[in-house]
Amino acid sequence: AMLYQVRGLMQRFTHHTRAAPLHRACIVATTRRPLLGGHICAPLQSAAVEATTTTLAAMAAPRNVNLLVVSGQDSPELEVLKQLPPTVTIVAVGRNLDDLAHLTPEQWDGITVLLNCGVGKNAGKRDDIRALWPKLRNLEWMHSASAGLEHLLFPELVGGPVTLTNAKGVYSHSLAEYCLTACNWFAKDLPRLRRQQAAAQWEPYDVEELRGKTLGIIGYGDIGQACGRLAKAFRMRVVALRRRVDLSAEEKAAGIVDDIFPPERLHDLMAASDYVVMATPYTPSTHRLVDAAAIAAMRPHGVFINLGRGKCVDEAALVEALQAGRIRGAALDVFETEPLPADSPLWKLDTVLLSPHCADRTKEFQFESLGFFVENMGRFVAGQPLSNVCDKRSGY
């Protein structure tokens, strides 16, 4: 009976440690409680308590982690890594094999986590990470400080056991702000204001409200939901496209989305919307998801906004529709080819609001992204589930 009670005690603590860290006081208090009403002989009770305490202490102790950071060494956001748990050791920071040539075989074998971060010249590139891969024999987890994965995935990563996480959700609010700015750009005809100001013309004109207009969201993930929340602040109607059409209890309580369309009803969403925002990641299934037929389904006064990836849209078909005046305009932060070629007709279209893939590039964005990684590392060392685990084969 005593053994069953000890076993039950350990099982309850084992279950508890999977959900939250154990406190030392909790362990001490439990081990001092007499088992079987205090009728266990002292040596046996001592052995049982010692075994239980040892097991629980091992469960509660944060693990030691050796971290490799693939980034330029002068990336300012690396300051955030000073907040990592004390059991984490940064083995090295570098972008490629040349930067990391000083590492010994033993150091390579000790690396269990890889962080890929940096912007521009400081960014870690897919080919460089792939060249490091054979040396990372004991890698368990790789984190990307970006949200998109199409420029990162390679066969050895996709097919292997390494867990991949990303920064999904970190950039959503800034992109949602861009979305509603784009809507107002057209609703208030801001280009006309600028032209009249430059010509010193006082010529009042009617403007539109966003209130009562419909925002159609293609891809109702973190970015799409953030766009929906801001649209509701303008009292817009929100419809969205995603595979799962049923609303969760939380979504119903939030009251953001008015209707959900399945993917096969993309044209219906396009036709029902005054503004359409593309917020999907790029995967084989989203390649040119918005094609000529989808664009043709838009309302004549419709505006197309792309915050996702340029290759999710048939750019040539979009240009043709804009040049012919079949839709009102477009706001584009992403393009099929980046940088956008100088000979692209998009540069010269007055009905296009164009930005160089910087709608989420705030001065804080990389710092916030690494802040999320630090939080996730806290989960990792505590043996808790990681947030933002990616489906490598699906590409997001």
Side-chain angles (χ1 to χ4, degrees):
M2 181 277 299
L3 290 176
Y4 279 119
Q5 186 165 351
V6 172
R7 182 180 301 165
L9 178 68
M10 294 179 68
Q11 287 175 342
R12 282 191 290 114
F13 273 109
T14 300
H15 175 74
H16 181 68
T17 55
R18 289 170 183 165
L22 279 173
H23 296 291
R24 184 180 300 275
C26 177
I27 298 175
V28 171
T30 303
T31 55
R32 288 177 179 171
R33 184 183 304 153
L35 299 178
L36 295 180
H39 297 297
I40 299 178
C41 63
L44 189 56
Q45 182 178 15
S46 175
V49 168
E50 182 179 353
T52 304
T53 304
T54 302
T55 301
L56 296 178
M59 291 177 180
R63 64 177 294 185
N64 294 316
V65 173
N66 290 325
L67 170 66
L68 175 65
V69 180
V70 179
S71 167
Q73 296 182 359
D74 56 350
S75 296
E77 64 271 14
L78 295 181
E79 283 289 311
V80 177
L81 298 183
K82 292 180 179 179
Q83 302 170 25
L84 284 167
T87 57
V88 178
T89 300
I90 299 177
V91 177
V93 179
R95 289 178 302 156
N96 50 46
L97 277 173
D98 290 340
D99 292 345
L100 304 170
H102 62 285
L103 294 182
T104 66
E106 291 75 18
Q107 287 175 309
W108 282 111
D109 286 344
I111 294 169
T112 51
V113 179
L114 185 152
L115 166 64
N116 180 41
C117 59
V119 177
K121 65 180 181 64
N122 285 317
K125 301 296 191 295
R126 170 171 50 196
D127 289 345
D128 291 324
I129 295 174
R130 192 175 186 182
L132 304 176
W133 212 248
K135 294 179 175 292
L136 298 167
R137 288 181 285 270
N138 296 309
L139 190 67
E140 300 177 31
W141 168 36
M142 174 175 167
H143 179 77
S144 171
S146 299
L149 300 178
E150 72 272 16
H151 298 300
L152 177 64
L153 296 174
F154 51 90
E156 295 88 339
L157 169 59
V158 173
V162 174
T163 299
L164 177 65
T165 59
N166 68 352
K168 178 183 68 175
V170 173
Y171 311 106
S172 298
H173 187 80
S174 57
L175 291 173
E177 287 190 13
Y178 182 94
C179 174
L180 273 297
T181 297
C183 293
N184 266 315
W185 175 271
F186 290 95
K188 305 301 184 281
D189 200 355
L190 297 184
R192 178 173 178 172
L193 285 182
R194 296 295 293 162
R195 290 193 301 269
Q196 290 185 185
Q197 182 177 349
Q201 288 181 335
W202 182 271
E203 188 177 320
Y205 63 94
D206 293 340
V207 297
E208 296 178 1
E209 291 186 73
L210 295 181
R211 179 182 57 170
K213 297 295 190 293
T214 297
L215 176 67
I217 303 172
I218 304 174
Y220 198 59
D222 284 295
I223 296 171
Q225 291 172 33
C227 291
R229 282 192 294 271
L230 287 192
K232 278 299 180 183
F234 285 86
R235 297 174 64 183
M236 298 180 76
R237 181 171 182 267
V238 175
V239 297
L241 185 95
R242 72 177 181 192
R243 288 191 296 270
R244 180 173 56 84
V245 297
D246 294 331
L247 294 177
S248 66
E250 292 79 10
E251 289 172 332
K252 290 178 180 178
I256 295 172
V257 64
D258 297 288
D259 200 3
I260 295 284
F261 293 77
E264 59 269 21
R265 292 188 60 197
L266 171 62
H267 293 184
D268 292 335
L269 178 137
M270 304 292 278
S273 304
D274 301 292
Y275 300 88
V276 177
V277 58
M278 189 88 186
T280 58
Y282 178 71
T283 69
S285 64
T286 62
H287 179 73
R288 294 190 176 177
L289 176 63
V290 174
D291 56 12
I295 295 168
M298 290 180 67
R299 298 176 175 182
H301 64 272
V303 173
F304 181 77
I305 304 164
N306 195 356
L307 304 173
R309 287 293 185 265
K311 292 180 180 179
C312 296
V313 182
D314 186 338
E315 195 169 282
L318 178 62
V319 168
E320 183 181 353
L322 290 164
Q323 289 174 330
R326 291 198 296 271
I327 62 174
R328 184 177 183 180
L332 308 172
D333 185 56
V334 291
F335 305 89
E336 191 170 341
T337 300
E338 296 182 8
L340 184 66
D343 60 354
S344 170
L346 289 169
W347 289 109
K348 297 181 179 179
L349 286 173
D350 292 335
T351 54
V352 173
L353 172 62
L354 187 154
S355 55
H357 202 154
C358 62
D360 59 357
R361 193 165 176 169
T362 66
K363 66 179 182 179
E364 300 91 0
F365 84 119
Q366 281 294 300
F367 290 87
E368 292 175 349
S369 181
L370 290 201
F372 172 78
F373 170 72
V374 169
E375 292 175 7
N376 231 5
M377 180 62 83
R379 300 180 185 98
F380 186 76
V381 300
Q384 298 172 356
L386 293 170
S387 294
N388 283 10
V389 174
C390 302
D391 183 336
K392 296 183 290 185
R393 295 194 180 278
S394 296
Y396 58 89

